[in-house]
Amino acid sequence: MKEKLEKIKQEALSQISSSDALEKLNEIRVNYLGKKGELTAVLKSMKDVAPEDRPKVGQLVNETREEIEKVLAESIAKMERMKREAQMKREVIDVTLPAKKNNVGHRHPNTIAMEEVERIFIGMGYEVVEGPEIETDYYNFEALNIPADHPAKDEQDTFYINGDFLLRTQTSGTQVHVMEQGKLPIRMIAPGRVFRSDEVDATHSPSFHQIEGLVIDKHITFADLKGTLAEFAKELFGADTKVRFRPHHFNFTEPSAEMDVSCFKCGGDGCRFCKGTGWIEILGCGMVHPNVLTMSKIDPEKYSGFAFGIGLERIALLKYEIDDMRLLYENDVRFLKQF
């Protein structure tokens, strides 16, 4: 038995020393130490050994197993180390090579336009205020002089959460929140996302952005409104820009107007961009209605003010000569890289 164990050991050690792959070492482990291996077969044949010799034979088997396991473990560790070193040499990194160019993103056209509008009004002393996108019917309509049965609500059909709460159709509700605080005078703009139940086409979307402004103080007149918006238009579209005001109707302002700017493509001569008129409509405005002031607990006999609303997407479309509003929301990298 001793000779047989010695033969098994020598064969195993010889195969281990001649192996050149981890897979072969694993096969040797299975062949000699596994459940059906050579040493296991010796242990199973112990029944044929005389009872008084079994302890000695068992000890020899264990010593043989330990020696094979020791040499096998050393060989595996050595082979793994050699494999790792070869991999490191193969995958060496040349740190002197130029780095790969990072694809850095940039601001969306809407964001660029919004930041420019904010910069202009902040330069005039205005504060930028944000409000909730989910509003109550009171702040979105009633506090703006649009009662429950008024037809103007149909023009701003929106998404109701329930009878009292809805997705806001305009950021004017933010202005009401500020007026109710009673801290006068007020000079603010309220940019943000608004929602209306519109069909998607080249000029409409159920979700878009507005920037609405409000000034409340003593002795504010329509002349202040015209001067402010004329200066805004020159800052946004160029120093030669002219403005004109056309009478209009908004429930929350009286008198009300829509403001056009002279076409910055043709200088007012008429072109395809301005449809031959020489003018481009950009916003609605007017003097704050006394009812709106009263509902916000501001005395219309002492204070007056003006308000205006600008469609952010309209500014972006005009400024960058984009002919389809849907392009702003399709996330086409080829389109966005142009800005």
Side-chain angles (χ1 to χ4, degrees):
M1 184 64 71
K2 183 176 180 181
E3 291 77 9
K4 184 177 181 180
L5 289 171
E6 182 66 25
K7 182 180 178 183
I8 291 173
K9 182 178 74 172
Q10 293 303 324
E11 287 178 353
L13 296 179
S14 175
Q15 290 183 28
I16 291 171
S17 63
S18 63
S19 297
D20 58 357
L22 287 170
E23 292 77 9
K24 291 184 179 180
L25 292 176
N26 188 55
E27 289 178 6
I28 294 170
R29 183 186 61 79
V30 173
N31 292 337
Y32 287 93
L33 306 178
K35 292 182 178 180
K36 297 181 180 180
E38 297 281 349
L39 287 178
T40 306
V42 172
L43 288 173
K44 289 180 178 178
S45 66
M46 289 283 282
K47 63 180 182 297
D48 300 326
V49 179
E52 62 273 13
D53 294 331
R54 286 177 184 174
K56 188 175 181 179
V57 173
Q59 183 179 356
L60 288 172
V61 172
N62 288 334
E63 289 174 354
T64 303
R65 175 185 289 276
E66 288 174 2
E67 191 166 350
I68 293 174
E69 285 179 341
K70 179 183 176 183
V71 176
L72 192 62
E74 290 173 351
S75 297
I76 290 174
K78 181 181 178 181
M79 201 164 292
E80 286 180 341
R81 184 170 61 253
M82 292 171 61
K83 182 179 179 181
R84 186 164 57 250
E85 290 173 355
Q87 183 181 5
M88 291 176 68
K89 289 180 181 179
R90 189 170 60 252
E91 297 179 356
V92 65
I93 299 173
D94 186 352
V95 296
T96 64
L97 289 173
K100 292 182 179 179
K101 184 179 179 181
N102 289 329
N103 290 321
V104 180
H106 58 85
R107 295 171 300 166
H108 190 275
N110 274 353
T111 304
I112 298 172
M114 180 177 289
E115 289 179 353
E116 187 167 1
V117 172
E118 289 180 352
R119 176 188 60 79
I120 294 170
F121 281 105
I122 289 173
M124 295 181 184
Y126 284 61
E127 178 185 7
V128 179
V129 182
E130 295 184 355
E133 292 183 355
I134 298 177
E135 272 289 12
T136 63
D137 188 85
Y138 174 78
Y139 284 104
N140 197 78
F141 291 118
E142 290 190 32
L144 297 172
N145 203 35
I146 305 176
D149 57 351
H150 200 282
K153 293 188 74 170
D154 295 334
E155 297 175 6
Q156 296 190 23
D157 190 20
T158 188
F159 306 97
Y160 278 84
I161 297 170
N162 56 37
D164 297 320
F165 291 92
L166 65 152
L167 300 181
R168 66 183 180 185
T169 63
Q170 53 204 356
T171 58
S172 300
T174 305
Q175 299 173 349
V176 178
H177 287 294
V178 173
M179 284 192 289
E180 287 183 344
Q181 295 174 9
K183 297 178 182 179
L184 301 172
I186 297 171
R187 284 173 176 79
M188 61 165 284
I189 58 171
R193 187 186 298 272
V194 297
F195 308 86
R196 296 185 186 180
S197 184
D198 290 339
E199 294 290 336
V200 177
D201 59 29
T203 57
H204 294 86
S205 171
S207 175
F208 55 100
H209 297 78
Q210 280 191 342
I211 304 175
E212 302 199 31
L214 175 70
V215 172
I216 302 290
D217 203 346
K218 294 180 179 178
H219 312 301
I220 296 295
T221 68
F222 204 94
D224 297 305
L225 179 152
K226 292 179 68 176
T228 299
L229 296 182
E231 188 63 28
F232 161 70
K234 290 179 181 180
E235 285 288 327
L236 188 64
F237 297 112
D240 296 329
T241 303
K242 298 179 177 61
V243 299
R244 75 174 182 183
F245 293 84
R246 294 177 286 103
H248 197 69
H249 171 74
F250 299 111
N251 287 69
F252 33 86
T253 54
E254 180 60 39
S256 305
E258 287 186 335
M259 189 183 90
D260 303 332
V261 297
S262 55
C263 180
F264 41 86
K265 292 290 290 182
C266 64
D269 294 333
C271 65
R272 181 189 64 81
F273 197 70
C274 61
K275 299 179 181 179
T277 65
W279 296 94
I280 301 172
E281 177 191 333
I282 65 165
L283 59 84
C285 58
M287 300 300 293
V288 179
H289 199 291
N291 290 351
V292 174
L293 294 174
T294 301
M295 283 187 282
S296 296
K297 297 181 173 55
I298 297 175
D299 188 351
E301 297 297 326
K302 294 182 179 179
Y303 291 92
S304 58
F306 64 81
F308 55 89
I310 308 165
L312 179 66
E313 280 79 2
R314 183 165 183 77
I315 295 295
L317 294 178
L318 292 173
K319 194 168 182 63
Y320 300 113
E321 300 183 31
I322 304 169
D323 57 8
D324 194 325
M325 183 177 174
R326 289 169 291 193
L327 292 170
L328 294 172
Y329 299 112
E330 290 176 349
N331 296 324
D332 189 329
V333 176
R334 296 168 299 177
F335 169 76
L336 296 175
K337 277 183 177 179
Q338 300 176 65
F339 303 95

